[in-house]
Amino acid sequence: MIRYVFLLLSFSAISSVEAQNGDPGLTFHTDFEAASLGEISKLNGNHWQMALTGESDSDDRNRQVSWYYFRVEGAKDRPLRLTLSDLVGEYNYRKGSHAITSETRPMISYDQKHWTHLPDSAVSWDEQKVQLTFTLLPDRDTIWIAHQPPYTTENLLSLLKRYEYHPAVKKMELGKTVEQRSMPLLSITDHSVNIADKKVVWIMARQHSWESGTSWLMEGLVHHLLESEQGTELLKKMHFQLFPMGDPDGVARGGVRFNTHGHDLNRNWDLVKPVEMPEIHLQKKAIREWLEENHPIDLFITLHNTERADYIQGPDLPVGHGLWEEMVGQTSFESTEGVREMPLSTTPGKPGRMTVNQALWAEMNIPAYLMELKVEAVDKIDGRRGVEDWLELGRGLLEAIDKSLR
């Protein structure tokens, strides 16, 4: 028998699930920020099936299953076999897609700080059922399991507190999300140098809440800007405007890619509803006001995670091609295709389907680029990206931006 106990915290609905039938004391939990897990059923022995919840949009379409994060208690020395199910969804109104694949690997941690991918030998894939099964023998009672290394709103608050009094950093609150969380904008530069003498770069992370790699990249970028000699020199000639977390509500509840009202925050940039999508409204307003003050935007990058491929998509401009070349040449970014052609919309003929880079280029002539970074294996690092790899990508991105804008 499995007993469910549901609690309500300020950030999400959470649950504690106790496994019985021969396994007293073994429990699965989602009673913490960013956690997500659906119904659990015991198949036999130490084998458990874990249905993932996913999320659908406001039209009850485009279900995405790209995130799981839970804690197991009483796990020490118990051989566990866990199967993730209910993975199939829909992407851009095309049914059958799934973000958890035969090549994605769960990550484990004993302290929520140090995360490790499970080895290939511990994972199997059922193509017919579209299920991923993994085995583990924890050597401690408590273990956390996630799709990617989690980066929560608490992580962001710690980052902001660390640099609260740094002279190069100015933090602005643009407004509030649907659930009344802060929408910050960071202005990072050497403020003693006139902005007219600098290149201006805007970078956005975490439009989709499951894409935690982009937050780690952003943190690595901020660290390098503020704690290295190279960063100090960059800030004399560059002005950075950073949206560090585009969907804090989704991050807090363990969401996937839709805000509280079911709107994809990297769609709808051509049809913004301020009440239902204040996140997009506030960001787009900040960009317009910047331009209205006669400030330039030399480059705009929105950072994303995807399953299988690193790529850059955007307008056919020298800065975009330079960015692609430098990322390929200097970082773990893997791509052979150059800058991908950017369509006018993700769903032609349907309003509300333009991404941020599509809308900024079409409406404001901003050189805006989508940068996708994969969670499957990367040949350049002979494995999948962990926290240190994401942080290093932040440093590498800065170098690529610098060289592409010369």
Side-chain angles (χ1 to χ4, degrees):
M1 176 182 177
I2 301 173
R3 180 164 58 88
Y4 293 83
V5 181
F6 291 95
L7 305 172
L8 183 65
L9 293 187
S10 60
F11 48 80
S12 66
I14 60 174
S15 65
S16 174
V17 183
E18 183 175 348
Q20 297 179 350
N21 288 337
D23 282 316
L26 180 68
T27 56
F28 301 88
H29 301 262
T30 54
D31 55 349
F32 53 93
E33 185 186 7
S36 178
L37 187 63
E39 183 177 348
I40 302 172
S41 56
K42 186 172 183 178
L43 299 180
N44 57 68
N46 293 310
H47 190 183
W48 300 85
Q49 181 165 301
M50 320 185 96
L52 302 190
T53 52
E55 286 188 330
S56 299
D57 63 20
S58 57
D59 296 327
D60 199 26
R61 295 290 305 272
N62 295 303
R63 177 177 180 263
Q64 298 282 294
V65 189
S66 310
W67 184 248
Y68 55 89
Y69 183 22
F70 59 94
R71 183 179 78 250
V72 185
E73 297 280 3
K76 185 177 180 180
D77 297 330
R78 293 177 183 265
L80 298 177
R81 182 177 177 84
L82 306 178
T83 294
L84 304 180
S85 65
D86 288 19
L87 306 183
V88 179
E90 184 179 40
Y91 182 72
N92 283 341
Y93 298 94
R94 297 190 297 271
K95 295 183 178 180
S97 67
H98 53 91
I100 296 167
T101 73
S102 61
E103 298 302 318
T104 57
R105 296 290 176 265
M107 300 193 78
I108 62 171
S109 174
Y110 291 112
D111 59 6
Q112 290 183 292
K113 296 178 181 178
H114 303 89
W115 290 87
T116 305
H117 286 99
L118 288 178
D120 291 349
S121 60
V123 179
S124 63
W125 177 257
D126 188 319
E127 184 66 34
Q128 183 176 3
K129 295 181 178 178
V130 192
Q131 295 179 348
L132 185 134
T133 298
F134 56 97
T135 59
L136 63 160
L137 182 64
D139 58 20
R140 303 182 198 177
D141 270 337
T142 302
I143 185 170
W144 285 266
I145 302 172
H147 181 48
Q148 282 216 92
Y151 191 103
T152 67
T153 63
E154 289 298 316
N155 291 111
L156 177 58
L157 288 174
S158 296
L159 177 69
L160 298 179
K161 185 174 180 60
R162 177 170 178 169
Y163 298 117
E164 185 176 4
Y165 300 108
H166 196 290
V169 180
K170 291 183 179 179
K171 175 181 173 291
M172 294 153 278
E173 182 181 285
L174 301 177
K176 300 291 188 180
T177 65
V178 176
E179 296 177 21
Q180 297 303 297
R181 290 184 174 86
S182 174
M183 285 292 292
L185 172 64
L186 305 182
S187 178
I188 303 181
T189 192
D190 183 334
H191 295 281
S192 68
V193 180
N194 193 304
I195 192 171
D197 298 322
K198 300 173 185 173
K199 297 292 187 180
V200 176
V201 180
W202 287 61
I203 305 176
M204 171 183 286
R206 215 63 182 278
Q207 283 184 289
H208 296 144
S209 52
W210 81 269
E211 296 169 5
S212 58
T214 69
S215 286
W216 289 112
L217 188 159
M218 182 72 86
E219 179 156 317
L221 181 148
V222 171
H223 285 331
H224 194 68
L225 278 178
L226 301 177
E227 297 187 13
S228 72
E229 291 184 7
Q230 183 185 34
T232 299
E233 292 304 310
L234 279 176
L235 292 179
K236 293 177 181 177
K237 60 181 181 179
M238 288 191 179
H239 183 115
F240 290 89
Q241 296 283 94
L242 307 179
F243 294 119
M245 188 171 283
D247 185 17
D249 291 349
V251 171
R253 73 170 180 271
V256 177
R257 64 183 296 127
F258 307 113
N259 81 345
T260 303
H261 289 301
H263 297 298
D264 190 325
L265 297 181
N266 197 31
R267 303 294 186 268
N268 298 292
W269 277 72
D270 57 321
L271 190 65
V272 182
K273 300 177 181 179
V275 174
E276 294 185 18
M277 11 176 138
E279 302 88 354
I280 300 176
H281 169 69
L282 293 168
Q283 292 171 326
K284 194 169 184 180
K285 180 173 179 284
I287 295 166
R288 283 195 182 278
E289 289 177 349
W290 179 266
L291 295 176
E292 289 169 359
E293 293 171 0
N294 294 317
H295 296 318
I297 298 179
D298 296 289
L299 178 63
F300 185 103
I301 301 171
T302 177
L303 300 168
H304 289 264
N305 288 149
T306 188
E307 295 79 50
R308 298 179 176 85
D310 292 339
Y311 67 88
I312 294 173
Q313 179 200 76
D316 183 11
L317 299 172
V319 65
H321 296 293
L323 180 66
W324 177 86
E325 290 172 3
E326 295 299 332
M327 287 296 293
V328 169
Q330 304 298 325
T331 76
S332 66
F333 185 83
E334 281 186 341
S335 173
T336 59
E337 61 182 312
V339 176
R340 285 192 183 183
E341 182 179 357
M342 181 173 65
L344 296 178
S345 169
T346 63
T347 312
K350 183 175 177 62
R353 298 298 297 173
M354 290 181 76
T355 63
V356 56
N357 56 312
Q358 290 168 342
L360 294 185
W361 174 245
E363 297 176 16
M364 306 180 208
N365 205 35
I366 295 172
Y369 292 85
L370 168 76
M371 181 178 290
E372 292 278 8
L373 299 159
K374 63 182 174 179
V375 299
E376 292 186 357
V378 178
D379 290 340
K380 284 186 176 183
I381 60 173
D382 193 27
R384 294 162 184 85
R385 292 178 174 121
V387 170
E388 292 302 318
D389 301 302
W390 291 116
L391 293 171
E392 175 61 20
L393 262 178
R395 183 199 63 78
L397 177 58
L398 281 177
E399 291 188 1
I401 289 170
D402 179 28
K403 292 178 180 178
S404 67
L405 287 173
R406 289 180 184 176

